[in-house]
Amino acid sequence: MNVGITCYPTYGGSGIVATELGLELAIRGHQVHFITYSNPIRLDPGTPRIYYHEVEVSTYPLFQYPPYCLALASRMAEVSEAYDLDVMHVHYAIPHSISAMLAQQMVAARRRLPFITTLHGTDITLVGVDRSYFPITKFSIEQSNGITSISDYLRDETVKVFGIANEISVIKNFVNCELYHPDNEKKAAANYALAGEKLLIHLSNFRPVKRVLDCIRILAEVRKHVPAHLLMVGDGPDRGPAEYLARELKIDRHISFLGKQNHVERLIPLAHVLLMPSELESFGLAALEAMACGVVPVATRVGGVPELITDGEDGYLEAPGDIAALAARVVTLLTDEDLQYRMAKTGRWNAAERYCPEKIIPKYERCYQDVVNAS
Ligand code: GMT
């Protein structure tokens, strides 16, 4: 098939899922056309059957807000005709769904261009429920020819909050277990931690929903019992406050703020535990990547996370903000090697068994086939 994919290319789990999906589809022989404002971070543009079409938004003094949504719609329409697209797949409803709907109407006289919207989380739980976006988000979801959501939780939430009657297929996040794999020796951990220190890791876009400051507080608690170092991977509005808190708690030399990283698969396996203390998480891709790397997630019991992590089996779940409980779980793991080994092994097995591309990608392919075949 010829598939068009639009996502946020530089930021966040939805862009990562969209990019990895495109790569997997290309491996399976599909022609994949990314239509975005910049090359997605994890995408190698030299990959066979992958095409990248940049959306250029011209600025003009009259435009206080350059109309990206319209430029995107025009580019989608152009690419669909030039490359004979069978389907457009947009990740994150706002504004990608609306652009796809406009593109569909622009080319309607000449061709059918069905589009699928994949809901990832904050497009529903935060941005979508904002009163100014609510009606258009609901409308664009309802106009989609296919809708997918990354967890049961998010599907139920979409139905509840938006009253959507259309069918929503749940297709969970996936991980490439050949790329994301354990490193039992963890030799490169010595680049960050002192000898005898355990390594913790957190990955996110440092938005308030991630409760990044809790990671710093958890480390402070953990260090009262076990020598440990924390890798903070990513960037965003709460990075400054987190760095400040680390200095205030006098643990700044035990934390490495690494900023945005292109190869997290090289960093995650160095850690013993992943911290994901989010306020809300529709799935928790970072936890899945950690499990694939044999790193045990200590996370919060929110949103779709319990669909991924089984408490006490392949990770731990506590209430958001409960620093004492989260830190206690980390200490348990760091002081009981057998337990940590068992949980890491179970996590790796579950990731490979349930969330590998071979299990998930065919679901997207079926979804494409369904919307293409529907008249
Ligand atoms: O987590 C973010 O803030 C980024 C966001 C996105 O849409 O880019 O991530 C969401 O999508 C990921 C991939 O499907 C999910 O694994 C994350 O759980 C979800 N984030 C939230 O729901 C907060």
Side-chain angles (χ1 to χ4, degrees), residues 63-219:
F63 299 153
Q64 190 176 350
Y65 306 105
Y68 175 66
C69 179
L70 303 183
L72 176 62
S74 304
R75 199 80 176 106
M76 284 173 172
E78 259 171 40
V79 173
S80 77
E81 300 208 270
Y83 293 87
D84 202 18
L85 293 191
D86 296 298
V87 61
M88 259 316 300
H89 187 179
V90 301
H91 294 258
Y92 210 91
I94 308 165
H96 303 148
S97 254
I98 285 294
S99 300
M101 193 192 81
L102 290 174
Q104 181 180 67
Q105 292 176 8
M106 285 167 73
V107 300
R110 294 172 296 282
R111 57 181 301 112
R112 185 170 173 269
L113 180 62
F115 72 98
I116 294 169
T117 301
T118 289
L119 309 171
H120 282 270
T122 49
D123 45 354
I124 298 301
T125 56
L126 285 181
V127 190
V129 292
D130 181 315
R131 281 292 124 189
S132 52
Y133 294 119
F134 185 95
I136 200 154
T137 307
K138 178 172 158 67
F139 180 66
S140 70
I141 296 171
E142 286 172 341
Q143 293 300 308
S144 304
N145 301 91
I147 311 167
T148 82
S149 135
I150 51 138
S151 63
D152 295 330
Y153 158 80
L154 188 60
R155 179 201 50 205
D156 297 349
E157 202 59 18
T158 308
V159 171
K160 191 172 88 194
V161 174
F162 289 92
I164 304 278
N166 314 42
E167 187 187 337
I168 302 177
S169 311
V170 174
I171 306 182
K172 299 198 174 183
N173 286 176
F174 61 94
V175 65
N176 180 336
C177 282
E178 280 167 30
L179 192 61
Y180 289 77
H181 58 78
D183 171 359
N184 293 331
E185 295 190 3
K186 301 186 187 299
K187 276 196 187 139
N191 295 335
Y192 305 100
L194 300 173
E197 278 185 335
K198 300 282 186 177
L199 202 57
L200 312 180
I201 191 165
H202 169 80
L203 301 101
S204 79
N205 52 20
F206 286 53
R207 300 255 144 205
V209 72
K210 302 294 178 181
R211 296 188 69 100
V212 171
L213 275 69
D214 284 2
C215 296
I216 312 300
R217 296 189 182 103
I218 292 168
L219 179 73

